[in-house]
Amino acid sequence: MLTGKRILLIIGGGIAAYKSLELIRGLTRAGALVTPVLTRAGSEFVTPLSVSALAGEKVYSDLWDLTDEAEMGHIQLSRVADLVVVAPATADLMAKMAAGLADDLASTLLLATDTPVLIAPAMNVRMWQHPATRRNLSALTGDGIAVVGPAVGDMACGEHGPGRMAEPADILAAVTARLSGGALSGRHLLITSGPTHEPIDPVRYIANRSSGAQGAAIARAALALGARVSFVTGPAAVAAPDGVEAIRVETAQQMLEAVTAALPADAAIFAAAVADWRVAGPSGSKIKKGQGGSPVLEFTENPDILAHVAGMAEGRPLLVVGFAAETDDVTANATAKRARKGCDWILANDVSPGSGIMGGAENAVTLITGDGAEDWPRAGKDAVAARLVARIAEALA
Ligand code: CTP
């Protein structure tokens, strides 16, 4: 898969550095040749010995090591790779990269390199959300640097939110996508998929019949064309495909948070069946029978994730694609929905009972763009996905 590809792996100083050991194993197993660079802070978390033992190569760490300068100068070291990977990319390392600082070996290599760079940020959630880091991220993506993660979840510091380094398998997938050269190579696609679950109490929830099959098929088709895929999924019956960066959520509000954290993206495809309403003030304890008759549930509207992203003044993906699940007047309703939500394309499908589409293996869609409506013949969800993703690749080209 990565046979003969040279990866310069820069390991920054964060608790997630331990995951870089597993990343090295994954990369070398896939046939890549890994040259590791350990920052001084990185060596507080993993030892040079374990890094070099796994990589089967010496670890570079000091800019002023004259032997290294004689063997391989830092300029040469930065240029021999097919891809430079920074994992974990700490807030400090990202800031240095964004500012063009070069005060140690890692930052010097990053400034001197002329090969593509992929970073896997890892930091505390507040640091990730800090305006300084947002600015640095936008500068780095503007410079053409690819980003994988961070994931949303529990962090070593005890907090919860975006900031966890992407899993080694997800970084490996991003490296493979980057080096595989398909029509979407170097592109980042964000896909939402599956239903959402909206709690009533700790044991009950409101859900819908979405299986997540169409979203998973789109993700597979995007991976096949070399895209990096962030896959934000509700509790779906169909598993997230191997190779995506899966971000698992339950509720619409969590989905919005995960989508925002996964941006920027070149295209965003909203295949999730998001619950329009959630229960206002779900009970913290299980609602018991016999307490004054049946409970009455009050609802409140969920955020519209598609409309939110389509309306972003800054950082909006180049292409925003929604789905429209309709039971009547499919084309007319979906055309109105496209205008209302502000997205570029809508893929409309008839989910009326008897169509067998919701939860089924096939889909019959109408693609609505600014140029009008196009009926696609009923086909397997994989075939619909391949056609959609090919159109996206064309639009982004
Ligand atoms: N969607 C979303 N967030 C929501 C609701 C919907 O992102 N809170 C997205 C879906 O992923 C889909 C599109 O919006 O891409 C349309 O979903 P649909 O359920 O057809 O539309 P609704 O907004 O629910 O409109 P209506 O109930 O009027 O049909």
Side-chain angles (χ1 to χ4, degrees):
M1 223 172 18
L2 292 174
T3 315
K5 298 287 185 195
R6 298 201 68 104
I7 310 289
L8 185 72
L9 175 66
I10 295 175
I11 303 172
I15 185 72
Y18 77 92
K19 290 194 201 169
S20 59
L21 298 179
E22 203 184 322
L23 175 62
I24 296 174
R25 284 181 78 102
L27 288 167
T28 52
R29 276 199 193 124
L33 305 161
V34 180
T35 305
V37 174
L38 196 54
T39 66
R40 197 147 52 89
S43 64
E44 300 286 336
F45 294 91
V46 286
T47 69
L49 189 59
S50 22
V51 172
S52 66
L54 286 170
E57 271 227 45
K58 77 163 284 186
V59 181
Y60 293 85
S61 52
D62 194 348
L63 185 56
W64 306 115
D65 186 329
L66 292 178
T67 319
D68 291 344
E69 282 296 319
E71 281 173 1
M72 181 185 277
H74 62 265
I75 300 290
Q76 196 192 343
L77 186 59
S78 76
R79 305 256 168 102
V80 289
D82 296 295
L83 185 67
V84 179
V85 178
V86 188
T90 58
D92 178 63
L93 210 39
M94 284 176 63
K96 278 186 182 159
M97 290 172 75
L101 296 182
D103 64 352
D104 63 1
L105 180 61
S107 53
T108 304
L109 292 174
L110 285 160
L111 194 61
T113 193
D114 58 359
T115 43
V117 178
L118 169 74
I119 63 170
M123 65 198 71
N124 168 273
V125 55
R126 299 266 169 267
M127 291 167 81
W128 175 249
Q129 288 167 341
H130 194 283
T133 305
R134 309 310 300 169
R135 270 199 311 276
N136 292 335
L137 178 68
S138 124
L140 292 173
T141 52
D143 289 346
I145 286 171
V147 185
V148 51
V152 177
D154 291 330
M155 312 187 70
C157 55
E159 287 186 58
H160 179 91
R164 262 168 70 113
M165 188 169 87
E167 291 306 315
D170 298 323
I171 302 174
L172 183 60
V175 170
T176 311
R178 207 52 226 188
L179 294 174
S180 68
L184 285 173
S185 165
R187 297 293 193 176
H188 176 211
L189 265 57
L190 168 64
I191 299 170
T192 69
S193 184
T196 62
H197 284 184
E198 307 297 334
I200 297 170
D201 67 18
V203 295
R204 305 181 180 95
Y205 56 82
I206 291 173
N208 60 63
R209 293 183 196 283
S210 166
S211 63
Q214 187 63 81
I218 295 168
R220 278 193 301 274
L223 288 172
L225 291 190
R228 172 166 84 82
V229 178
S230 293
F231 188 71
V232 180
T233 177
V238 171
D242 283 344
V244 299
E245 189 192 320
I247 304 139
R248 294 182 175 81
V249 298
E250 293 220 337
T251 67
Q253 284 172 301
Q254 290 166 357
M255 188 172 274
L256 173 63
E257 193 188 321
V259 161
T260 315
L263 290 172
D266 295 292
I269 302 121
F270 294 86
V274 184
D276 289 320
W277 302 278
R278 65 179 181 278
V279 176
S283 170
S285 49
K286 189 182 169 201
I287 302 170
K288 296 296 221 183
K289 279 199 297 280
Q291 288 178 346
S294 313
V296 175
L297 298 179
E298 230 185 86
F299 289 92
T300 183
E301 205 167 313
N302 267 330
D304 190 317
I305 306 163
L306 169 62
H308 172 81
V309 172
M312 284 172 69
E314 243 178 77
R316 182 191 192 274
L318 295 171
L319 190 67
V320 177
V321 183
F323 274 74
E326 304 291 345
T327 53
D328 310 282
D329 301 326
V330 177
T331 302
N333 279 333
T335 304
K337 196 170 279 180
R338 173 179 172 273
R340 197 165 66 242
K341 301 215 180 200
C343 55
D344 303 300
W345 298 353
I346 280 246
L347 220 57
N349 48 12
D350 182 353
V351 292
S352 49
S355 72
I357 283 173
M358 200 103 171
E362 293 193 331
N363 210 348
V365 302
T366 303
L367 175 69
I368 292 155
T369 69
D371 298 330
E374 222 178 90
D375 288 326
W376 290 3
R378 190 171 173 123
K381 287 184 176 174
D382 277 326
V384 171
R387 189 166 174 173
L388 172 66
V389 169
R391 280 291 279 271
I392 292 173
E394 233 171 75
L396 293 178

